[in-house]
Amino acid sequence: MGLLMLEKFVNGCQLPGASPAEIAACEAKLKVILPAEIKAFLAASNGFNGELGQGYRILWSAAELSGADGYEIFEFSDDQL
């Protein structure tokens, strides 16, 4: 997600973004390597909570993701990232 895209949704962005250490800790806890798009999003906005398009969206922060043990959080199709 480009930074210009984030500017459109600034009211729901969780700023500042996650630090590289927070993202690495999330990956270590989950024992996965996050897709580049998710890392870029987390670095720009550590989660999102607000209107997006015609609906309301909540995208988890690095801390929330790392605590998501047991959820199928990476069972998405490519067009959902």
Side-chain angles (χ1 to χ4, degrees):
M1 175 180 287
L3 292 179
L4 291 176
M5 182 66 117
L6 283 176
E7 288 175 7
K8 293 181 180 182
F9 310 110
V10 71
N11 292 333
C13 290
Q14 306 299 311
L15 302 174
S19 70
E22 289 173 309
I23 295 169
C26 177
E27 290 178 313
K29 173 84 169 148
L30 292 172
K31 298 179 182 160
V32 300
I33 296 175
L34 295 171
E37 294 91 350
I38 294 177
K39 288 183 191 183
F41 167 73
L42 290 172
S45 175
N46 195 12
F48 180 86
N49 191 347
E51 295 290 327
L52 187 61
Q54 294 183 356
Y56 193 87
R57 300 289 186 258
I58 298 173
L59 304 176
W60 291 349
S61 68
E64 290 168 324
L65 277 173
S66 65
D69 192 32
Y71 286 93
E72 294 180 12
I73 58 175
F74 298 108
E75 296 294 325
F76 299 112
S77 63
D78 290 341
D79 64 343
Q80 290 181 301
L81 291 177

